[in-house]
């Protein structure tokens, strides 16, 4: 919590949420997120970790190469990132919200001075009512492309910025029990205090656009939990998912 008494939320948005499981970025979903942030800005300050650069690029270009090639993905990220930021800017500015872009690499978290710079810069942005929109610097780094759809980046950033809640938006109503998935009636595990027990419940599902599955989300929750930060895993496809989760109006997984 900051000096003004606002709680700080780090909101991680994966490609599946931002595309609403289609092949292009959903302006309607980004507007939905902006409307919620605007409604909550008196009590909460938001930092966003956003995937979606590659998905944004695919709306505009077809590169002559194999999509699975890491250099093609890096090129797509380079093309898509400005488009993604433009969509955020256009939708958020209509709601009176200001945005800024921060591109980070995992190596930034290994250097004391760089970490201090990130904290100081983001604190200045937030203090001046700018919403930092963070993505991995995919053009030079391959970690997000290879290992987990920004979930780990979100957790490391949440710890660095000492947030109150890490919200990971995904395409399920949180984490389901293994038995309920087998029965095809998914049942959400609503409260978790022991991550080892939770580990036994998850499958190895991966999302259709993202590169992470539930495992990367649990790994991220473990990073946050070690710093006494709560993680909420919420269905970001639901309208008003942040507002509904704060009021306990939807099922989601809360990792204490």
């Amino acid at each position: 919590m900051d000096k003004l008494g606002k709680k700080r939320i780090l909101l991680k948005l994966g490609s599946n949420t931002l595309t609403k499981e289609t092949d292009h970025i959903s302006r309607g979903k980004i507007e939905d997120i902006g409307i919620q942030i605007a409604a909550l800005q008196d009590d909460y300050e938001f930092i966003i970790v956003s995937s979606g650069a590659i998905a944004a690029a695919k709306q505009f270009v077809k590169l002559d190469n194999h999509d699975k090639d890491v250099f093609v993905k890096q090129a797509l990220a380079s093309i898509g990132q400005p488009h993604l930021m433009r969509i955020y800017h256009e939708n958020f500015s209509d709601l009176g919200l200001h945005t800024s872009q921060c591109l980070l690499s995992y190596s930034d978290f290994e250097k004391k001075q760089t970490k201090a710079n990130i904290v100081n810069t983001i604190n200045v942005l937030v203090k001046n009512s700018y919403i930092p929109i963070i993505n991995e610097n995919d053009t030079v780094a391959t970690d997000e492309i290879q290992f987990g759809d920004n979930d780990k980046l979100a957790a490391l950033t949440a710890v660095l910025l000492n947030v109150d809640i890490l919200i990971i938006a995904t395409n399920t109503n949180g984490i389901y029990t293994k038995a309920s998935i087998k029965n095809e009636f998914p049942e959400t595990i609503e409260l978790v205090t022991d991550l080892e027990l939770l580990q036994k419940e998850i499958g190895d599902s991966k999302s259709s656009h993202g590169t992470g599955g539930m495992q990367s989300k649990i790994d991220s929750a473990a990073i946050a939990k070690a710093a006494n930060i709560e993680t909420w895993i919420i269905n970001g496809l639901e309208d008003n998912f942040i507002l509904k989760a704060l009021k306990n109006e939807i099922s989601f997984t809360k990792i204490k």
Side-chain angles (χ1 to χ4, degrees), residues 16-27:
N16 263 335
T17 298
L18 293 172
T19 60
K20 290 180 84 172
E21 300 193 305
T22 66
D23 289 325
H24 53 84
I25 300 292
S26 165
R27 284 178 173 269

Side-chain angles (χ1 to χ4, degrees), residues 20 50 101 105 113 119 171 181 199 205 210 231 240 255:
K20 290 180 84 172
S50 176
Q101 173 182 266
S105 299
Q113 187 57 56
V119 172
N171 57 347
I181 293 171
Q199 191 71 51
S205 62
T231 301
N240 289 317
I255 299 167

Side-chain angles (χ1 to χ4, degrees), residues 11-172:
L11 174 62
K12 186 266 171 175
L13 300 166
S15 301
N16 263 335
T17 298
L18 293 172
T19 60
K20 290 180 84 172
E21 300 193 305
T22 66
D23 289 325
H24 53 84
I25 300 292
S26 165
R27 284 178 173 269
K29 176 44 68 180
I30 288 182
E31 183 184 25
D32 170 55
I33 291 158
I35 288 167
Q36 295 176 78
I37 289 172
L40 291 165
Q41 61 186 343
D42 288 346
D43 299 310
Y44 295 89
E45 53 190 33
F46 282 84
I47 293 134
I48 293 173
V49 169
S50 176
S51 300
I54 292 172
K58 286 179 177 177
Q59 287 172 242
F60 300 99
V61 294
K62 189 104 182 90
L63 291 189
D64 294 332
N65 222 315
H66 204 275
D67 264 4
K68 288 189 168 59
D69 185 292
V70 72
F71 300 114
V72 176
K73 287 190 172 182
Q74 288 176 314
L76 285 168
S78 171
I79 294 163
Q81 184 67 25
H83 287 295
L84 180 66
M85 288 305 302
R86 178 175 53 81
I87 296 167
Y88 271 114
H89 172 72
E90 288 171 0
N91 281 278
F92 278 33
S93 62
D94 286 348
L95 299 160
L97 301 172
H98 305 297
T99 56
S100 64
Q101 173 182 266
C102 302
L103 294 177
L104 302 179
S105 299
Y106 282 108
S107 59
D108 295 333
F109 292 88
E110 292 163 7
K111 302 170 195 148
K112 192 175 178 183
Q113 187 57 56
T114 314
K115 287 201 292 186
N117 291 347
I118 293 167
V119 172
N120 293 334
T121 302
I122 288 177
N123 283 341
V124 168
L125 288 166
V126 171
K127 188 181 174 188
N128 287 280
S129 301
Y130 276 79
I131 299 164
I133 298 175
I134 298 165
N135 196 354
E136 190 185 356
N137 193 356
D138 289 334
T139 307
V140 295
T142 58
D143 293 350
E144 186 265 342
I145 288 171
Q146 291 178 338
F147 303 115
D149 201 20
N150 275 341
D151 292 327
K152 184 180 177 187
L153 181 69
L156 292 171
T157 307
V159 172
L160 192 60
L161 298 173
N162 194 26
V163 307
D164 294 281
I165 307 167
L166 166 61
I167 293 179
I168 299 178
T170 186
N171 57 347
T172 61

